[in-house]
Amino acid sequence: MQVILYLFLAQVINHKTVFVFYLVVGINLISDIIGNYGGNLLTIIIQDRIEDRSRQQTMGLNSAIGTLVEPLGQSVGVFIITQTHNYSLAGLINALTFLVSAICLIVGRRSILSTIRVKPKKTSNCLWPIIQELMLQTTGMGAISYLGIVMVLNIVVVSFDAILNLLFIDLAPVLKINYAVAILTINITYVVGSVWGSVTKKTWIDRLNLFQLLLVTLMAPIIAFSLLLFYPNFYLILLSMFIVSFMSGKMDPKMFATMMPQIDPHMTGSVFGTISTIVTLGAPIGSTGIIILYNLYGGKIACLCALILSLSSIIWALLAYRNR
């Protein structure tokens, strides 16, 4: 939907259509809020209906479906617009997909009805002490440290993809590869790595606890940015992208599945919603800052900055875990 929005607004926005602009932005905002709310409801259903040993793969599968469908939907939307030049048609089709989803939800609602069977514990009205205790139990670190480190991880992972899109403008001719082919290959590699990481559950990485998994995941962007700085080989970049996306696909399902048994079912949506909001909040700001560095000072400075952030995060994690 966002691709259609950007293409539409780029064509029609002017002083006469400013109302339409704010209306579309409002609809998009409401859509995102409802989507996040629905995601939090899903965690409650998973907690109630899925056994502990299957929760990580269940959440990973849900994440993988989103990773697969998003680029497919964007491609279909762009194809419709380029073939028909009719933004209204693309918007109508997009709206119909929401309607079909709602109908499917209504028809199959009995299969997702949740009846909490776990006796709720007495909890505080303040979420932060609950999150703090949860982090200490599951990660061995305080909430500020763990969430801050994961936030930095999101920043460098998002920045890696953005930097590659800019870097290959200059790098593609040197590597003797077409720019469009390079970006398409990178995106396919990201999707494959993310989906594979999300749905698999019997790799050696799945045996790691959350702290160990965090350290290994932080190593992935360090390898990726080091390659960009010191040995920009296309096939090694593809491999590093696969590793980054694979580890990212492992991280979230493992984190939420590990934390879920420790949470009162009545607090699951609130706790996970707060954690997701905090972790996600800094990613667009941080990645935008790194891209600004790229535009001002070049790719090496941007990569070096991301590399320093990743290394600092590992040091932060080790110190926070040792001093727990």
Side-chain angles (χ1 to χ4, degrees):
M1 179 171 181
Q2 289 182 341
V3 170
I4 297 174
L5 273 176
Y6 297 149
L7 290 172
F8 173 73
L9 294 175
Q11 293 289 328
V12 304
I13 186 65
N14 55 48
H15 69 282
K16 295 181 180 180
T17 57
V18 67
F19 172 75
V20 176
F21 168 75
Y22 286 119
L23 179 62
V24 172
V25 170
I27 292 173
N28 194 46
L29 177 62
I30 293 172
S31 174
D32 289 343
I33 292 173
I34 294 175
N36 291 334
Y37 180 72
N40 291 332
L41 291 179
L42 181 63
T43 60
I44 298 173
I45 295 170
I46 291 175
Q47 184 183 30
D48 180 47
R49 304 292 291 272
I50 305 297
E51 296 180 359
D52 289 359
R53 67 175 184 271
S54 302
R55 284 174 181 168
Q56 180 180 342
Q57 192 174 32
T58 301
M59 300 186 78
L61 182 61
N62 179 67
S63 175
I65 292 172
T67 303
L68 281 171
V69 170
E70 183 177 359
L72 178 62
Q74 290 177 348
S75 301
V76 172
V78 172
F79 176 78
I80 292 171
I81 291 174
T82 55
Q83 294 298 311
T84 65
H85 303 285
N86 189 333
Y87 292 95
S88 298
L89 176 62
L92 178 61
I93 293 174
N94 189 72
L96 287 174
T97 60
F98 280 97
L99 180 61
V100 171
S101 299
I103 293 173
C104 292
L105 185 62
I106 292 172
V107 171
R109 66 187 183 279
R110 293 185 180 277
S111 62
I112 61 171
L113 289 177
S114 179
T115 54
I116 301 296
R117 293 184 294 270
V118 182
K119 185 178 180 180
K121 303 174 184 177
K122 292 183 178 180
T123 57
S124 169
N125 291 328
C126 183
L127 277 175
W128 186 249
I130 298 173
I131 294 174
Q132 178 73 11
E133 180 65 24
L134 176 65
M135 293 298 169
L136 288 172
Q137 290 178 359
T138 56
T139 70
M141 289 186 285
I144 293 177
S145 292
Y146 185 80
L147 295 178
I149 292 166
V150 176
M151 185 185 295
V152 173
L153 176 62
N154 281 349
I155 289 172
V156 294
V157 168
V158 172
S159 300
F160 183 54
D161 183 56
I163 286 175
L164 284 181
N165 283 297
L166 295 173
L167 190 65
F168 270 107
I169 295 175
D170 300 320
L171 200 60
V174 177
L175 298 176
K176 297 180 180 179
I177 186 170
N178 181 271
Y179 174 78
V181 173
I183 297 302
L184 177 62
T185 308
I186 288 291
N187 289 336
I188 291 174
T189 303
Y190 174 82
V191 171
V192 171
S194 181
V195 171
W196 198 349
S198 297
V199 300
T200 53
K201 66 172 184 177
K202 293 185 178 180
T203 64
W204 68 269
I205 295 174
D206 294 293
R207 302 175 185 175
L208 303 177
N209 60 37
L210 269 183
F211 174 71
Q212 295 167 335
L213 179 62
L214 179 63
L215 292 182
V216 174
T217 306
L218 284 169
M219 286 299 299
I222 290 176
I223 295 171
F225 284 109
S226 297
L227 284 173
L228 290 181
L229 279 171
F230 304 113
Y231 193 69
N233 178 276
F234 179 68
Y235 296 104
L236 290 178
I237 292 172
L238 281 181
L239 178 61
S240 66
M241 171 57 84
F242 177 82
I243 295 172
V244 167
S245 59
F246 180 85
M247 295 308 304
S248 297
K250 282 287 180 199
M251 188 68 194
D252 285 352
K254 176 78 172 183
M255 179 175 70
F256 288 123
T258 302
M259 294 177 179
M260 195 172 284
Q262 310 297 326
I263 305 175
D264 180 347
H266 290 78
M267 300 294 294
T268 302
S270 300
V271 171
F272 282 173
T274 303
I275 292 174
S276 298
T277 300
I278 293 173
V279 169
T280 307
L281 192 61
I285 300 173
S287 59
T288 301
I290 292 177
I291 296 305
I292 291 174
L293 280 178
Y294 187 103
N295 291 326
L296 291 177
Y297 302 107
K300 288 189 175 181
I301 296 297
C303 290
L304 183 61
C305 177
L307 183 60
I308 291 172
L309 280 175
S310 300
L311 289 170
S312 300
S313 296
I314 286 187
I315 296 173
W316 184 4
L318 292 171
L319 292 174
Y321 188 77
R322 188 179 65 178
N323 297 327
R324 67 190 188 279

